[in-house]
Amino acid sequence: MGDGEATGGAGYVVMCSIFLYFVSNHALHSHTLFSSIIPLQLLHTVNHENNSPVLDSCFSPDGTTVFSVGADKAVRMWQLGQTPPNNVPQQIGAHDQPIKSVAFLPSTNMIVSGCWDNMLKFWYARQPNPVGSLQMPDKVYDLDVRDSLMVVACAGRHIITYNVQGQPQEHERKESPLKFQSGCVAAFP
């Protein structure tokens, strides 16, 4: 394989413990649903529009829906067990730049997306417009949600925590003690 050629490997994996599924996100253009029962079974592959890279995905709490975001600047929803039209999941939201991260907020049944346009946007799956947004200090690199806690990592080494029980409220803002940018964050119980 020459320089610059893609290998087609998975970017990372997102698990659903309820139905023993996992989704493999490919930076090349798609995400693939597998059954995690050995031997692994490929169940379905879907793409984002124009085969643009899928950058993140998450499951709904009941494990029946996958939400994904990517370089096509769209928040997408894929109901498992259904083949979306043209094999592209339904768009439920959009940003002005590629979207780097997505999470489901179980306390409010909303989806939150973090983008390189310095915005967090909050969505209900059935509404095309965001129900809320928060301006971030810089590009959003990653976010994670545990119960009512949301942690956001932004460029400029910003780490911001929010209470997302009801209306999101900033809890703490600080600079990461790491020397370089935080490319990922995880909230632990």
Side-chain angles (χ1 to χ4, degrees), residues 22 26-27 39 63 71 80 113 139 151 174:
F22 68 90
H26 301 269
L80 298 182
S113 55
K139 292 179 181 180
V151 181
K174 61 184 182 178

Side-chain angles (χ1 to χ4, degrees), residues 8-17 20-27 30-36 40 54-59 66-67 146:
Y12 64 96
V13 173
V14 178
M15 296 291 298
C16 173
S17 59
L20 301 175
Y21 293 144
F22 68 90
V23 172
S24 171
N25 296 304
H26 301 269
S30 65
H31 46 272
T32 305
L33 178 69
F34 291 91
S35 166
S36 61
L40 295 179
V54 176
L55 300 177
D56 196 15
S57 63
C58 68
F59 282 93
V66 174
F67 298 95
R146 287 289 177 269

Side-chain angles (χ1 to χ4, degrees), residues 2-3 38 69 72 76 81 94 96 128 142 145 153 172 189:
D3 289 341
I38 305 298
V69 295
D72 65 349
R76 298 192 177 274
D96 296 330
D142 197 21
V145 174
E172 185 176 14

Side-chain angles (χ1 to χ4, degrees), residues 35 38 49 90 97 107 112 129 134 140 155 165 169 178 186 189:
S35 166
I38 305 298
E49 200 161 356
Q90 173 189 354
Q97 296 289 318
S107 62
V112 60
N129 296 317
L134 293 172
V140 176
Q165 186 73 37
Q169 295 184 341
L178 301 174

Side-chain angles (χ1 to χ4, degrees), residues 129-149:
N129 296 317
V131 294
S133 63
L134 293 172
Q135 180 72 42
M136 296 290 100
D138 214 325
K139 292 179 181 180
V140 176
Y141 285 156
D142 197 21
L143 61 91
D144 192 28
V145 174
R146 287 289 177 269
D147 300 320
S148 61
L149 172 70

Side-chain angles (χ1 to χ4, degrees), residues 100-159:
K100 182 61 178 81
S101 197
V102 65
F104 193 90
L105 302 173
S107 62
T108 58
N109 286 321
M110 287 192 289
I111 299 97
V112 60
S113 55
C115 181
W116 292 338
D117 64 4
N118 303 3
M119 296 295 292
L120 285 181
K121 291 186 180 180
F122 299 85
W123 313 89
Y124 284 119
R126 309 262 184 267
Q127 294 181 4
N129 296 317
V131 294
S133 63
L134 293 172
Q135 180 72 42
M136 296 290 100
D138 214 325
K139 292 179 181 180
V140 176
Y141 285 156
D142 197 21
L143 61 91
D144 192 28
V145 174
R146 287 289 177 269
D147 300 320
S148 61
L149 172 70
M150 178 171 66
V151 181
V152 182
C154 297
R157 298 173 44 207
H158 301 280
I159 304 291

Side-chain angles (χ1 to χ4, degrees), residues 29-31 46-56 68-72 74-76 87-89:
H29 63 75
S30 65
H31 46 272
V46 295
N47 299 310
H48 271 222
E49 200 161 356
N50 300 319
N51 288 329
S52 61
V54 176
L55 300 177
D56 196 15
S68 61
V69 295
D72 65 349
V75 179
R76 298 192 177 274
N87 218 31
V88 175

